[in-house]
Structures are given as structure tokens and as C-alpha cells.
Amino acid sequence: MSTILPKSFYDRDPKIVAKDILGKILVKDDLEGIVVETEAYYGAKDPASRACKGKMNFNKLMWSEAGTIFIYMVHSYWMFNVVTGPKPSAILIRALEPNKGIENMIKNRGLSDIKKLTSGPGKLTKSLDIRKEYNGLKVFDKNSLIYVKNNSINPKISKSHRIGVKKDLEDPLRFFILNNKYVSK
DNA sequence: CATATGATGGACT
DNA sequence: GTCCATCATATGG
């Protein structure tokens, strides 16, 4: 029986949450995907973070409670983030492994290549039909349209520098499941 | 298989 | 106008 991850799960350092959420199941409606790749983002000390230049209208959700969904658009694709511990900070879900509702994902995405369905941050939001209307939802609330289920698998985790980031920090902040074909390149 | 490049839209300076 | 936490295509090996 899978349980929904509680708020306390997210109220920790983003690096810890990013690592622990790998292998868990993201649920949106009847669509499910296993989280296989994430990145951690910090606040003022992180030059790649949207929050690095202070609290603005568009990024103020990063200061709300842990477990809040924060969606941001880059290059006309939606990025799906969850707010974590010391504010402002968040994790970015970068890739999923399709688990349930694959037919609908294909429909949402207009593509039949399963490998390309959710193997990137912009692709998974399109496949799950996640748009900015979901901004501010609580991911630990079982009545929410979007939530994360626990999963008993214990994946082999690897880490690296972040992708597509202009100025990265020294610490590797990207986490992914080893040998999973849905991890983005 | 690999690397390169242009399109994309919202928010900032 | 400029900056991106991207993607799909095109081209070469």
C-alpha cells in the first residue's frame, strides 16, 4: 500500500529531498510516473536559482511552505518544481518513467515515442498536462490533483552537475537513477 | 551515435 | 532588446 509523502518529507534541505524523491511516484489524475531525475535549487547563494535576486512576484512561491508546487516557464515549456526546506529553495523534477496512463500521455504530447514521453523537464509537464494553473497546490495533500506516492523500491542513485545551467555551484546538485533510460541527456 | 543551431514565450533591464 | 532551470531538427561519423 503506497502512502502519500507527508509535508515533513519536503521540509528538508533540497539536496536531501531531491535524492530521496527518486523512485517515488508522481500522480496527476490517472497519470503516474516514477521520478527518475531531479535537481536541487537554493536561494540567494545559488546563481542558477530563480530566487537568487530576491523575492519577486513571479518567484514568491519559493518562499511558501514546503511541498508547494512552483511552476515556471522557460523557453515556452513548463518546469515542475516543489518547494523544500530552508526558504527559498526547491527541487526541479527533470524526468519521469511512465508508469500508468501512458495512452493519455501520448495523447497529451502528440507523440508515440515512449522514450521521449517524459525524459525531460519540459516533456513531462506536457505529457502530464501540467500548466501554471497548478501553481500553489500542495503536493502532500491527498485531495490535491497532484501528489507523490511512496514506493518501496530502493534505486541506485548517481549525481552530477546540473544541466543547462549557466553558472553552476561546485556541488553536484543533479540526482538520477542509474541505468534508467528515461533520464535526460 | 554525436554535436550544433534555431524557435519558443514570459519576465526583466 | 536580452536572458533563460528546453526541445526538435539537421547534419556528420
Side-chain angles (χ1 to χ4, degrees):
Chain A
M1 306 312 102
S2 39
T3 54
I4 293 173
L5 296 176
K7 178 181 169 182
S8 58
F9 178 89
Y10 302 97
D11 200 6
R12 296 180 293 168
D13 190 282
K15 195 157 52 172
I16 310 290
V17 179
K19 187 156 65 84
D20 278 5
I21 204 170
L22 290 175
K24 305 295 189 285
I25 301 175
L26 177 67
V27 183
K28 193 266 178 181
D29 272 339
D30 54 337
L31 308 176
E32 294 186 4
I34 301 170
V35 178
V36 298
E37 182 183 356
T38 57
E39 284 178 0
Y41 284 87
Y42 289 84
K45 64 178 179 182
D46 185 350
S49 173
R50 300 288 79 166
C52 73
K53 287 184 178 148
K55 195 169 179 175
M56 312 262 195
N57 262 329
F58 77 99
N59 65 11
K60 63 184 175 194
L61 273 176
M62 283 187 80
W63 277 262
S64 40
E65 65 177 331
T68 302
I69 293 173
F70 170 52
I71 294 174
Y72 183 71
M73 174 175 274
V74 177
H75 296 90
S76 79
Y77 291 93
W78 300 114
M79 300 290 134
F80 180 72
N81 302 256
V82 180
V83 176
T84 57
K87 295 171 191 67
S89 63
I91 59 169
L92 164 69
I93 309 295
R94 278 195 63 85
L96 300 174
E97 176 178 338
N99 190 45
K100 201 175 150 192
I102 295 179
E103 294 303 315
N104 280 329
M105 293 188 197
I106 290 173
K107 205 173 136 198
N108 288 336
R109 188 111 158 72
L111 252 177
S112 57
D113 188 344
I114 294 184
K115 274 187 187 171
K116 292 182 179 174
L117 222 44
T118 54
S119 56
K123 305 179 199 176
L124 71 91
T125 51
K126 194 165 184 186
S127 287
L128 296 201
D129 194 28
I130 292 173
R131 302 178 307 278
K132 74 173 173 194
E133 293 96 281
Y134 301 106
N135 240 331
L137 286 187
K138 309 301 175 190
V139 87
F140 50 82
D141 181 358
K142 74 176 92 175
N143 296 317
S144 175
L145 197 57
I146 301 176
Y147 57 90
V148 182
K149 283 197 300 192
N150 207 344
N151 197 8
S152 53
I153 69 169
N154 203 12
K156 185 83 178 164
I157 293 168
S158 186
K159 58 187 173 183
S160 76
H161 70 85
R162 292 178 294 187
I163 289 184
V165 176
K166 189 178 158 194
K167 285 244 169 198
D168 204 354
L169 296 175
E170 288 183 22
D171 282 351
L173 291 175
R174 171 176 174 253
F175 302 89
F176 57 94
I177 296 181
L178 219 49
N179 300 326
N180 187 291
K181 60 184 175 182
Y182 295 98
V183 173
S184 73
K185 292 192 169 179

